Amino acid sequence: MNDTQTETEQQPELPDWLVKAEEEAAARQKAARQAERAAAQRHADLVNEHLKELGIEPIEPARVDDAEFFTVLRPAFLAPGDYQADEHPVWASYDTNRGVTVNVGPTDRPYATEYAANLTSVKDVVDARHAGPAAQPPRPVQELDWRAEAIRRVRPMRSGRTDGDAVSQALDGMTAVMLSLAPNGRPPVPTGTEVDLDCEFLPGDLSPSGLVSLALNAGPGRTLYLVNADMDTLAVRSKQFMRAEVWPCLPLTLDGELDRSHPDVQSYDEIRRRVEKFFAGLGNDVTLWVYCGAQDVIRLHTLWGNDWQVMPGSVPQWADDLARLRREAGGVKLPPHTGRRHHALEDTEHQRQARAYLRGLIG
């Protein structure tokens, strides 16, 4: 008999009063959970009935999602978005004060949508898709300690984490570092080489097969565009958006398959080598630019396993974002995209044009 067995056998039985109290607490928790689910189901039914009355057939109806510790209403998904075209994903949700509402928010976070308007007609859906969330009253300006914010954001990676969330937080931390060193909290206009990055990828897949294409654009004559020969083509074509918007932009054969003989189509390892060579030829004073592009930077760094000790020093560890300039310019619409959206290289060219336009507004 070991010590563990002895200790286990010596544990006293729970007294009757505690057993009864625990049972009562469990019963209350079960009843609360049932009431919570009933309310969520009632709200989902109200959303779906209202959509039917308006003649709106959702891509996904409202429903109830049961997690381990809570139950929540999952809004009805009404329309996809394209942030480069200033089009927001649209949802229909329920608010106890407003009733059925039109919300906007990312497709991978349906529970984090923002109110846009009360849903009274199809026009509300179209307006929300193009205008985004309703304007919020201005909040008091609070001076942020950028140095402390940078340390807080980078801490997960310094503790050894290399998952997507940790990398994304680290990128935010690098932005905070830049802001902490800038006068009046605004980064100075870079004086070196500005490189625009854009990637197409399978959401949530950080493996080599999840990268579809990658483009780097440092100006005329200094571009790199590569398509991943090792991508999961079946997964890409199984997603409606990828099949309709991304796949046609890739080098294809006459029968619609990926043209693996095309010079732009290279293995994942070769993409890593060419990206390293591209940055090595630009010198040390490089600023990387993206548009709502934390995920793009993660895909770039994933070429080296998101390990900065392995990644070449010439590859930027952080990126500035066109979305910041757009916010400084008052949230204006970007110039029209004259190329093919979701063709990575043509998207980087649009980023460069949009950046020049926004800087002209900001002064």
Side-chain angles (χ1 to χ4, degrees):
M1 182 180 297
N2 57 38
D3 293 340
T4 304
Q5 290 174 320
T6 303
E7 183 179 344
T8 303
E9 291 174 358
Q10 292 176 349
Q11 289 290 330
E13 293 185 0
L14 294 177
D16 292 343
W17 63 265
L18 182 56
V19 172
K20 182 179 179 181
E22 290 282 5
E23 290 174 348
E24 291 173 349
R28 288 194 301 271
Q29 185 178 30
K30 181 180 180 181
R33 183 71 180 269
Q34 290 174 340
E36 183 182 64
R37 194 184 198 289
Q41 185 62 62
R42 184 168 63 255
H43 294 161
D45 292 342
L46 288 171
V47 170
N48 292 330
E49 290 170 6
H50 191 63
L51 292 174
K52 186 176 181 179
E53 291 172 359
L54 296 177
I56 298 174
E57 183 176 351
I59 297 173
E60 296 177 9
R63 68 173 191 265
V64 174
D65 275 358
D66 290 302
E68 184 176 359
F69 298 110
F70 62 90
T71 300
V72 66
L73 166 68
R74 181 186 178 94
F77 185 38
L78 303 185
D82 183 344
Y83 287 114
Q84 290 184 332
D86 287 329
E87 296 170 351
H88 300 260
V90 183
W91 307 79
S93 190
Y94 187 85
D95 184 278
T96 53
N97 295 317
R98 297 184 174 113
V100 180
T101 62
V102 181
N103 289 22
V104 296
T107 54
D108 59 345
R109 295 198 299 277
Y111 313 114
T113 60
E114 297 180 79
Y115 170 78
N118 290 353
L119 179 54
T120 60
S121 68
V122 174
K123 179 179 180 297
D124 296 321
V125 177
V126 176
D127 289 347
R129 189 166 187 246
H130 293 278
Q136 300 295 319
R139 298 179 180 177
V141 177
Q142 295 181 345
E143 189 65 30
L144 186 63
D145 184 342
W146 289 110
R147 181 177 182 276
E149 180 71 4
I151 293 172
R152 184 180 72 83
R153 294 283 189 168
V154 176
R155 186 174 291 120
M157 288 204 71
R158 295 188 65 180
S159 64
R161 282 180 54 195
T162 57
D163 56 274
D165 286 342
V167 174
S168 183
Q169 285 193 42
L171 292 171
D172 289 341
M174 295 300 101
T175 302
V177 169
M178 180 181 65
L179 290 168
S180 71
L181 299 175
N184 302 320
R186 175 181 292 181
V189 176
T191 57
T193 302
E194 295 184 294
V195 179
D196 286 84
L197 165 70
D198 187 75
C199 299
E200 299 297 335
F201 49 82
L202 284 167
D205 187 350
L206 291 176
S207 70
S209 63
L211 178 68
V212 175
S213 60
L214 178 150
L216 295 164
N217 188 340
R222 295 193 297 176
T223 62
L224 180 68
Y225 174 65
L226 296 167
V227 175
N228 184 16
D230 300 326
M231 78 173 83
D232 186 343
T233 57
L234 291 178
V236 171
R237 288 189 285 183
S238 71
K239 297 182 179 296
Q240 193 278 331
F241 173 81
M242 301 289 288
R243 183 172 64 250
E245 302 293 336
V246 177
W247 188 257
C249 294
L250 304 177
L252 302 177
T253 61
L254 292 177
D255 57 357
E257 298 297 322
L258 183 65
D259 185 357
R260 299 180 184 277
S261 66
H262 194 282
D264 290 340
V265 181
Q266 299 292 331
S267 70
Y268 192 79
D269 290 340
E270 181 62 22
I271 291 174
R272 182 193 306 114
R273 285 189 287 270
R274 295 197 185 189
V275 169
E276 178 178 356
K277 182 178 179 181
F278 181 88
F279 280 112
L282 297 179
N284 297 322
D285 191 4
V286 172
T287 299
L288 189 65
W289 282 90
V290 292
Y291 181 38
C292 298
Q295 291 285 354
D296 298 271
V297 181
I298 289 173
R299 261 60 186 195
L300 172 66
H301 290 179
T302 302
L303 290 171
W304 294 274
N306 282 312
D307 187 343
W308 289 356
Q309 293 182 334
V310 176
M311 189 172 75
S314 59
V315 179
Q317 294 181 342
W318 58 270
D320 205 340
D321 202 305
L322 193 67
R324 175 185 63 79
L325 289 181
R326 186 183 177 196
R327 182 178 60 186
E328 289 185 13
V332 298
K333 283 187 173 293
L334 299 182
H337 195 311
T338 56
R340 291 173 290 175
R341 289 192 178 95
H342 307 297
H343 183 290
L345 184 58
E346 294 180 24
D347 282 347
T348 62
E349 188 59 37
H350 178 245
Q351 288 175 200
R352 297 183 70 82
Q353 296 170 2
R355 185 165 62 254
Y357 169 74
L358 293 174
R359 281 177 174 163
L361 296 179
I362 296 170

